[in-house]
Amino acid sequence: MPLLSAIMACPLIALGIVLCVPATAVRLIRWTCALSALAAGVLSLHLWHSYDTVAGGMQFVERISWVPSAGISYHLGVDGFSTILVMLNSIVFFTGVLTMWDLEHRVKGFFAFMLMFVIGVYGVFLSLDLFFFYFFYEIAVVPMYPLVLIWGSGNKEYAAMKLTLFLLAGSALLFPGLLAIYHAAGLNSFDMTLLAAHPFDPEFQVFVYPFIFLGFGVLAGMFPVHGWSPTGHVAAPSAVSMLHAGVLMKLGAFGILSVGIRILPAGAVYWAPVFAVLASIGIVYGAFVAMRQTDFKFVIGFSSVSHMGIVVLGLNLAVLGQAGVDALNGAVFQMFAHGVMTALFFSIVGFIYDRSHSKTIADFGGLGSQMPRAVSVFIVAGLCGAGLPGLASFWAEMLVSLAALKTYPMMGVAIIGGLVLTAVYILRVFIQAFFGPPNPRWQGLRQVDLAGWVIVPRALLIGVLVILGFMPRLILDMINGTTIALVENLARLEDLNLLGKF
Amino acid sequence: MLASVNTLSIVFGTIFAPLAAFLIAILFLMRSPRLAQAIVLAGAALSVTGSIALLLRGPVEPLRFLWFASGDIQLRFGFLLDGTSLMFGVAVTVITLCVMVYSLGYMSHDPAKSRYFALLGFFAWSMLSFVYAVDLLQAFIFWELIGLSSFFLIGFWYEKPSAANAARKAFLMTRIGDVGLFIGILLILQYFGDFDIPGLLNADSGLVSAVAPATLTAILLLIFVGIVGKSAQFPLHTWLPDAMEGPTPVSALLHSATMVAAGVFLMARLHPLFMADETARTVVICVAAFTALLAATMAMVDRDIKKVLAYSSISQLGFMLMALAAGSLFAGVFHLITHAFFKALLFLCSGLYIHHLATNDLEEIGRRGGRRMRFTTVGLVIGGGALAGIPPLSGFFSKEEIFAQLGHDGFTLFTGAAFAAAFLTAYYTFRMVFLVVRPAGGDCGDLNDAQPATDGGHGGRAEPWSMVTPVVFLTFAAAFAGFYGTDIAAGLGLSPAHHTLASALPAVGVVLFGVAIAWLDFGRSNARRRGFIAAVPALQTLFVNQWFVDAFYRAVVVRSTGALATLMHWTEAKVLDSGFDRLALTILEWGKRATRVQSGWVQFYGGCAVLLFGTLALCLYLDVGIGGG
Amino acid sequence: MTLQTYLLLGLILFSLGLYCVLSRRNLIGVLIGVELMMNAASLNFMAFNRYSVNDPATGQVVVLIIIGLAAAEVAIFLSIILNLYRNRRAIDVEELRELRG
């Protein structure tokens, strides 16, 4: 079986099994999911290993005609970006399953929806057909509603509804845009590679691009349409938050990249300055709001808004010419690094919540003495968020800052200043919750600190962050190859004389 | 046999031995403190051997490895083994080993010993990687990791809120400096395209020739911002006194000899670049001179022995930066090395007092019989003399170089400032010495009393061998390091300025004057024991309150950041969030109103149907097109 | 009698029936109105049958169907009314509004 379909088949087969077994066979369900995640992970690693960076372009392409009269086909393929993101999804999928191992309530339903979600995400990253891209996109978004509603905590009904409505509103903006592209191309095909090669009328591109960008931007947590994200993060159960912030938000950024920038480059170039400003505001805004939060997950939620701002900024700077390669490299790198980091965050916060049933920072204090290992994990994740060198996010932030300094110097300064702001709110959490005299209320937590195989998912995530922190080449080479090809493509637009016309 | 071991292996061994020790300790030995201590000490010993071997081999060509490529940027990591790094590397490893041996005794009662030693191993690795770095980005990475180790070590006793807050303050203030440094480095990349340090410094094809003068100034000033943060110069100096919350050996290692010296070291590294830019040099020398004086004034009124030494470090770092900015690489590096030794010595002595007498307060130390701790007091006096610059101790020689250089290039204003600072240095140093050695009314404590203090006093021997050995070693180093001046200069490829006896006299005079005033104020039998500055109460208040800099930061910076955060939080909660919520609720309302059409009243439905059909019929009759016409 | 006369008569009957349907409160009254409307429609068909159509059978067939439909419809309507009366003791249109939004 071709590799890409095999990767998608792992969760699909698991879904089939999970749906067919009785709801009481909890152990079977868990193990099925874990094994399928492991299989998908191994296959993704194999994909990463065998992707030919030198040759570049789309590889491992598979195509089956689906609805010929409408030009829809089951078309999969990967380039440098998708390979990385497929790996990300596998990592988060695996660690997510392990994080929810102790779930007892309606296990079958939970894992069924989670598998559906994972299938959707794989589909988006692998699809080269616009119809299937959107199809899988929706498959990824819809299960969020029951996942948050049934297994969430806190204000879950409100959060689930808000999340779903926001995301569907984004999709509603997106759908007409996609159809417009289909019709304007006149090729009677949804094939994304064909559409990318087709030169659309610049007027058309400028008109349609905001729909695409904002539609995907909602999912990418862009300011000002980010409101669903922190609320959703907080109410969702740990694995769902991990997937949500770690992978789902990357779907939005990937969409901007694959559909917006690849297919409507002139529109992207025209609108880039505006959206770059919005993204920069998001970076600083997210950090400031995070400073005032009283709940762990809200802090992480707003930090996600801030970090995704870096991704979106990078994407916008990528089309503006001067430092496009660095910006795009940084953006994709950040997608991966932030995905892993935020998965780690939610994994460990979920752990602490499971043991203590509290997410409020003020409830804690001196937790470092009682749960030193869990706290150390959180500290590593926090430092990664603050852009500490030696951890993966540093390279991403460096590349995007470099690009920003070249293009809009003041914006670059603001972003680097954002590093300090991140340190401020992260350290605030450390001081309030982990340092200081131990709170006698949590005396019993010492016994239930991270131990045994529960360490595995967190260790895996930390390992990835540290290894990438010191050896960014592992994924950067792959990203770089694809970036250079894309930016060269964009450079041809110079002839159209559209840069900076906004 | 040793000669055949290639340089690269030695470098790797030197730098990575502490890392390996750290990893083993943190992952496996958290519950076995003795093993952890042994492993980390072994790693440090390896480093010492390695660094000395490298020094003996002399400078070699830089070693480089490709790290990653993005676009057409190529970043390398590697090792730059020239005179500066080799000598400073030895100083770092030796002092690290001394501090670790000392910690065996100092931290013997602490339950978290393993974590402490592991963190020291992590610090040693970061520091050495920074010192030997060949690529500016590599240096930056380890610069940050040094800051991280500092954070964890200052906040080692994190259960104390004051320690945790001090750690946070240190991290944030150095981070602010790092922002400047980072921007500077990125600008170098943007305009020059490479981070390679030898490449940057190349007189013909380096940075100086590649960028416009204004850009060069901007870059250098931004880098200097980083140096200000790391080396605790004004205005980013307030974190260092607070950092004294950490264990004293940490203060000795990080906050006097090595970490804070990293800023000076960076400037020494990039010295040719600074020399090419007048504006940058002037800014540096102004800031450094001001800091030197500022810190000295704060040292002369403080009663906490560690705080005095902390302010002293800030002041001496200012001296080093002044020397570098004035043009003498040798003076700066010489003082850097001698300062490392005598300041570490002073801190370790203070640690002995604190550990045994359970107090940080100078008067108390005196009263509880500090002077009867012989090795410690001898160390204190020698170290103090070196700090003050009394011949023939090491500090005298290095300070002499600085004065000579300042006098040279016509920086007369700054020479005056330097002399004033030297006077104050001598004054506060010997104030400290006299308060300990000649306590008011004689000492009345039994050396074997013990009460808890900042670091916790413990009973037991006053001067255990583990703590005394490093002190003795450093006493000799502080006394005699000055005689190696010519060797150090040779290592840098420079020659020291020539001195005659006459040229040294003004400095010695100033120093002795300072010592005399200190004796008058504190040393005489019937001394008033109040500094001379108490005669000017306004100044006294100003100095005691650290010139209100911290208060200013709290009132302005912290509050405004908080205000901005609250504003944005309000925007999020009241505007954006509720904006969208209200939109959703409005739509819900409309839906509810629309449902009123479903009245359940059958005749209403019937009437609507009739109307609809009637309209349709009318349209058909009037031939209005409904689909096709 | 011309065609227009019959159509006019049909119109008057239909309007009266419509008025009954829309305005009466009693369900039986509504039923009577419906019957009136159906008869008016039948009358229209027969009128056209007599004056405009070629084959005289067409109109008569339609009218027979209408009569049959009316009978069936009345049967169901009355059984619903009986049921309502039994359960609620009221056949007032104003009170039977449970299928509302």
Side-chain angles (χ1 to χ4, degrees):
Chain A
M1 179 187 248
L3 184 56
L4 298 185
S5 295
I7 295 180
M8 284 236 295
C10 293
L12 190 61
I13 295 173
L15 180 62
I17 297 177
V18 166
L19 285 174
C20 293
V21 301
T24 45
V26 167
R27 281 191 62 200
L28 176 63
I29 294 175
R30 287 185 192 142
W31 276 100
T32 315
C33 290
L35 286 172
S36 79
L38 193 58
V42 168
L43 287 172
S44 318
L45 256 174
H46 176 64
L47 176 67
W48 170 74
H49 189 68
S50 29
Y51 180 81
D52 188 349
T53 320
V54 176
M58 289 289 165
Q59 299 180 11
F60 295 98
V61 177
E62 330 167 3
R63 193 190 181 126
I64 305 173
S65 200
W66 206 261
V67 181
S69 55
I72 300 172
S73 52
Y74 173 79
H75 192 182
L76 303 181
V78 286
D79 63 1
F81 301 151
S82 340
T83 317
I84 305 293
L85 292 170
V86 164
M87 273 240 44
L88 173 68
N89 193 28
S90 308
I91 294 175
V92 180
F93 176 27
F94 182 64
T95 49
V97 170
L98 290 183
T99 308
M100 293 306 277
W101 201 258
D102 293 326
L103 182 71
E104 293 293 338
H105 172 62
R106 299 176 74 167
V107 177
K108 174 172 170 172
F110 180 84
F111 281 107
F113 282 122
M114 189 167 140
L115 286 168
M116 213 176 124
F117 175 91
V118 170
I119 294 171
V121 174
Y122 275 132
V124 173
F125 288 141
L126 295 172
S127 271
L128 287 181
D129 181 284
L130 200 55
F131 177 83
F132 271 102
F133 188 95
Y134 187 71
F135 172 74
F136 282 118
Y137 187 85
E138 292 298 311
I139 287 187
V141 167
V142 167
M144 290 297 292
Y145 181 72
L147 282 171
V148 176
L149 186 67
I150 303 176
W151 292 275
S153 57
N155 202 357
K156 53 187 180 166
E157 294 83 10
Y158 168 74
M161 189 60 99
K162 185 165 185 172
L163 186 151
T164 316
L165 285 178
F166 245 108
L167 293 182
L168 290 178
S171 305
L173 264 180
L174 195 52
F175 199 41
L178 294 179
L179 289 177
I181 292 175
Y182 173 72
H183 281 289
L187 294 170
N188 195 37
S189 167
F190 278 98
D191 186 333
M192 281 162 80
T193 45
L194 283 181
L195 289 171
H198 177 92
F200 289 91
D201 170 41
E203 291 291 311
F204 169 81
Q205 289 193 41
V206 169
F207 180 70
V208 174
Y209 184 77
F211 286 93
I212 305 287
F213 186 87
L214 286 172
F216 281 119
V218 172
L219 191 56
M222 203 187 73
F223 179 87
V225 286
H226 60 277
W228 59 278
S229 175
T231 322
H233 278 128
V234 169
S238 326
V240 177
S241 301
M242 286 165 74
L243 285 167
H244 167 165
V247 180
L248 190 67
M249 290 174 94
K250 314 304 177 279
L251 285 188
F254 186 71
I256 294 175
L257 185 57
S258 309
V259 181
I261 296 180
R262 278 220 163 100
I263 300 183
L264 302 175
V269 169
Y270 184 85
W271 285 97
V274 175
F275 291 136
V277 170
L278 275 180
S280 323
I281 295 178
I283 298 175
V284 176
Y285 178 84
F288 270 118
V289 181
M291 281 188 215
R292 281 278 170 271
Q293 298 305 321
T294 51
D295 179 317
F296 277 120
K297 283 189 165 185
F298 264 116
V299 172
I300 304 170
F302 281 106
S303 108
S304 284
V305 171
S306 181
H307 287 118
M308 284 307 289
I310 297 180
V311 175
V312 177
L313 178 66
L315 289 176
N316 279 305
L317 290 174
V319 299
L320 285 175
Q322 290 101 312
V325 174
D326 293 322
L328 193 52
N329 277 340
V332 181
F333 201 102
Q334 175 77 332
M335 281 195 223
F336 188 89
H338 174 254
V340 176
M341 173 187 87
T342 208
L344 180 62
F345 259 135
F346 281 112
S347 178
I348 198 64
V349 168
F351 178 81
I352 295 177
Y353 179 69
D354 276 342
R355 301 292 185 267
S356 65
H357 297 289
S358 168
K359 280 182 294 187
T360 318
I361 299 176
D363 277 351
F364 294 95
L367 197 62
S369 335
Q370 284 142 343
M371 295 179 88
R373 292 189 189 170
V375 164
S376 316
V377 172
F378 191 97
I379 290 181
V380 171
L383 292 172
C384 182
L388 189 79
L391 293 169
S393 290
F394 170 68
W395 299 109
E397 299 192 4
M398 183 188 104
L399 287 167
V400 176
S401 308
L402 181 65
L405 277 176
K406 275 191 202 173
T407 330
Y408 296 119
M410 274 303 120
M411 211 185 278
V413 173
I415 297 159
I416 300 181
L419 286 176
V420 180
L421 293 175
T422 313
V424 171
Y425 70 72
I426 276 291
L427 287 178
R428 179 177 162 268
V429 174
F430 290 174
I431 301 258
Q432 283 189 357
F434 304 141
F435 297 158
N439 188 334
R441 182 170 156 194
W442 309 116
Q443 261 319 98
L445 287 181
R446 202 143 239 271
Q447 280 84 329
V448 292
D449 195 5
L450 275 178
W453 66 271
V454 181
I455 296 183
V456 168
R458 285 96 192 177
L460 175 63
L461 291 168
I462 292 184
V464 172
L465 288 176
V466 172
I467 292 175
L468 278 185
F470 286 102
M471 292 200 278
R473 283 188 76 175
L474 289 175
I475 61 174
L476 198 52
D477 284 346
M478 201 173 286
I479 298 176
N480 196 30
T482 318
T483 305
I484 292 183
L486 205 153
V487 172
E488 274 169 8
N489 248 345
L490 287 174
R492 288 196 267 111
L493 276 181
E494 298 281 319
D495 308 337
L496 288 173
N497 200 20
L498 262 171
L499 276 162
K501 266 282 173 61
F502 184 83
Chain B
M1 182 203 83
L2 275 177
S4 66
V5 179
N6 96 353
T7 316
L8 186 60
S9 330
I10 301 186
V11 174
F12 266 106
T14 311
I15 295 182
F16 288 97
L19 175 67
F22 159 70
L23 285 171
I24 297 176
I26 202 96
L27 290 173
F28 306 118
L29 299 177
M30 289 311 269
R31 300 235 173 86
S32 332
R34 286 188 188 281
L35 259 175
Q37 286 172 323
I39 285 255
V40 176
L41 270 165
L46 256 171
S47 290
V48 171
T49 333
S51 63
I52 295 181
L54 286 172
L55 180 64
L56 291 174
R57 286 193 178 200
V60 293
E61 277 302 300
L63 307 155
R64 300 184 180 88
F65 307 93
L66 180 63
W67 206 350
F68 78 81
S70 158
D72 42 11
I73 307 168
Q74 301 229 310
L75 301 176
R76 282 169 291 276
F77 90 98
F79 309 109
L80 179 56
L81 304 168
D82 67 353
T84 331
S85 58
L86 288 173
M87 288 188 286
F88 192 54
V90 171
V92 167
T93 50
V94 166
I95 296 181
T96 307
L97 187 62
C98 287
V99 165
M100 284 186 186
V101 172
Y102 181 91
S103 304
L104 286 174
Y106 194 86
M107 302 294 282
S108 56
H109 295 279
D110 196 297
K113 276 197 288 252
S114 312
R115 176 164 55 102
Y116 175 82
F117 275 89
L119 286 170
L120 280 184
F122 181 77
F123 168 75
W125 167 62
S126 331
M127 189 72 205
L128 287 171
S129 303
F130 168 74
V131 170
Y132 290 123
V134 74
D135 194 87
L136 204 52
L137 186 67
Q138 179 190 4
F140 178 74
I141 290 176
F142 289 105
W143 169 283
E144 295 271 358
L145 288 180
I146 298 171
L148 182 70
S149 337
S150 164
F151 171 74
F152 284 125
L153 283 166
I154 295 174
F156 179 70
W157 289 310
Y158 57 81
E159 298 191 11
K160 271 201 307 169
S162 52
N165 282 316
R168 164 168 60 171
K169 185 170 176 179
F171 191 79
L172 284 178
M173 286 191 108
T174 46
R175 204 80 167 109
I176 293 175
D178 293 344
V179 165
L181 180 59
F182 194 42
I183 298 179
I185 289 182
L186 288 181
L187 284 176
I188 289 183
L189 185 65
Q190 185 181 337
Y191 287 101
F192 186 68
D194 202 343
F195 286 126
D196 189 58
I197 295 182
L200 279 173
L201 299 178
N202 188 312
D204 304 315
S205 61
L207 185 65
V208 179
S209 57
V211 300
T215 320
L216 184 65
T217 313
I219 291 176
L220 289 174
L221 286 177
L222 284 166
I223 293 181
F224 183 58
V225 170
I227 295 177
V228 163
K230 189 66 96 194
S231 294
Q233 300 295 289
F234 178 84
L236 295 173
H237 63 281
T238 57
W239 65 270
L240 191 53
D242 285 10
M244 298 298 112
E245 289 281 344
T248 313
V250 168
S251 310
L253 182 59
L254 268 73
H255 303 124
S256 57
T258 50
M259 177 193 139
V260 294
V264 176
F265 182 81
L266 185 65
M267 186 163 172
R269 260 273 177 271
L270 301 176
H271 195 240
L273 296 179
F274 278 93
M275 290 311 288
D277 190 68
E278 272 306 305
T279 328
R281 285 173 68 187
T282 321
V283 171
V284 173
I285 205 172
C286 288
V287 172
F290 180 67
T291 310
L293 280 171
L294 182 82
T297 59
M298 297 197 280
M300 72 188 202
V301 294
D302 208 307
R303 285 179 56 146
D304 181 321
I305 190 171
K306 285 181 73 175
K307 292 253 167 56
V308 170
L309 293 174
Y311 292 123
S312 166
S313 297
I314 299 176
S315 182
Q316 295 302 304
L317 289 164
F319 266 98
M320 292 176 223
L321 289 172
M322 272 203 283
L324 286 172
S328 169
L329 179 64
F330 170 57
V333 174
F334 192 18
H335 197 58
L336 180 66
I337 294 178
T338 55
H339 174 263
F341 285 119
F342 62 67
K343 192 47 74 62
L345 168 65
L346 283 168
F347 265 110
L348 294 185
C349 292
S350 74
L352 270 158
Y353 289 129
I354 295 169
H355 187 252
H356 190 74
L357 301 173
T359 173
N360 282 29
D361 184 277
L362 282 166
E363 299 257 8
E364 275 303 306
I365 292 176
R367 275 201 309 115
R368 292 186 194 178
R371 70 179 179 183
R372 288 192 269 137
M373 296 167 67
R374 298 242 176 72
F375 288 106
T376 319
T377 314
V378 167
L380 185 74
V381 172
I382 302 274
L387 174 56
I390 296 180
L393 300 172
S394 59
F396 163 71
F397 290 102
S398 52
K399 279 229 177 104
E400 215 14 70
E401 279 301 318
I402 300 181
F403 290 131
Q405 183 63 32
L406 283 173
H408 242 177
D409 278 353
F411 287 95
T412 21
L413 174 65
F414 300 105
T415 320
F419 276 120
F423 162 70
L424 288 174
T425 309
Y427 174 73
Y428 69 67
T429 311
F430 277 87
R431 166 179 174 268
M432 172 177 73
V433 170
F434 288 134
L435 280 173
V436 170
V437 165
R438 300 187 59 99
D443 60 83
C444 45
D446 181 347
L447 267 184
N448 293 316
D449 275 346
Q451 291 152 30
T454 57
D455 292 342
H458 304 286
R461 292 186 55 192
E463 301 182 297
W465 69 267
S466 61
M467 292 166 76
V468 162
T469 324
V471 167
V472 169
F473 172 76
L474 286 173
T475 312
F476 280 105
F480 299 118
F483 297 112
Y484 288 93
T486 354
D487 298 304
I488 295 180
L492 292 171
L494 301 168
S495 54
H498 266 300
H499 307 292
T500 60
L501 200 54
S503 64
L505 275 178
V508 178
V510 161
V511 165
L512 289 176
F513 182 53
V515 176
I517 304 281
W519 185 76
L520 279 174
D521 272 343
F522 300 97
R524 291 181 301 170
S525 329
N526 53 344
R528 280 171 308 146
R529 315 189 68 80
R530 267 188 340 146
F532 66 86
I533 207 71
V536 187
L539 283 179
Q540 171 90 339
T541 325
L542 185 64
F543 297 162
V544 167
N545 286 300
Q546 288 109 44
W547 293 63
F548 298 106
V549 177
D550 237 352
F552 173 77
Y553 285 153
R554 245 192 307 275
V556 175
V557 175
V558 175
R559 281 237 193 98
S560 45
T561 320
L564 269 171
T566 312
L567 174 69
M568 304 228 189
H569 179 62
W570 178 86
T571 316
E572 178 71 17
K574 293 283 177 294
V575 175
L576 285 178
D577 232 14
S578 22
F580 283 116
D581 281 355
R582 251 180 258 146
L583 178 67
L585 287 171
T586 314
I587 296 179
L588 211 57
E589 262 309 304
W590 286 353
K592 281 197 196 135
R593 279 190 216 154
T595 58
R596 288 196 215 148
V597 174
Q598 296 291 108
S599 60
W601 185 25
V602 77
Q603 287 158 334
F604 177 69
Y605 298 160
C608 290
V610 167
L611 263 171
L612 178 67
F613 282 117
T615 323
L616 266 168
L618 203 60
C619 290
L620 272 172
Y621 179 66
L622 294 175
D623 233 354
V624 174
I626 325 169
Chain C
M1 298 277 252
T2 59
L3 177 60
Q4 284 78 359
T5 321
Y6 284 112
L7 291 183
L8 192 60
L9 180 61
L11 178 63
I12 292 170
L13 279 174
F14 189 86
S15 315
L16 287 173
L18 187 60
Y19 177 71
C20 267
V21 169
L22 292 181
S23 70
R24 302 209 74 83
R25 289 183 67 168
N26 196 315
L27 276 175
I28 310 261
V30 171
L31 177 62
I32 293 171
V34 171
E35 282 302 306
L36 267 176
M37 285 199 289
M38 286 209 233
N39 285 321
S42 311
L43 187 60
N44 262 20
F45 272 110
M46 287 313 295
F48 280 115
N49 192 41
R50 163 74 172 78
Y51 288 97
S52 303
V53 153
N54 295 326
D55 182 2
T58 320
Q60 297 172 26
V61 168
V62 176
V63 170
L64 284 172
I65 291 174
I66 290 178
I67 293 171
L69 277 175
E73 175 245 332
V74 166
I76 294 173
F77 203 147
L78 281 173
S79 45
I80 291 177
I81 290 177
L82 272 171
N83 243 318
L84 280 173
Y85 186 70
R86 276 202 200 121
N87 283 317
R88 289 155 205 276
R89 304 253 113 206
I91 45 170
D92 183 336
V93 163
E94 295 280 321
E95 290 179 29
L96 300 169
R97 288 215 197 179
E98 276 164 46
L99 283 176
R100 69 186 306 177

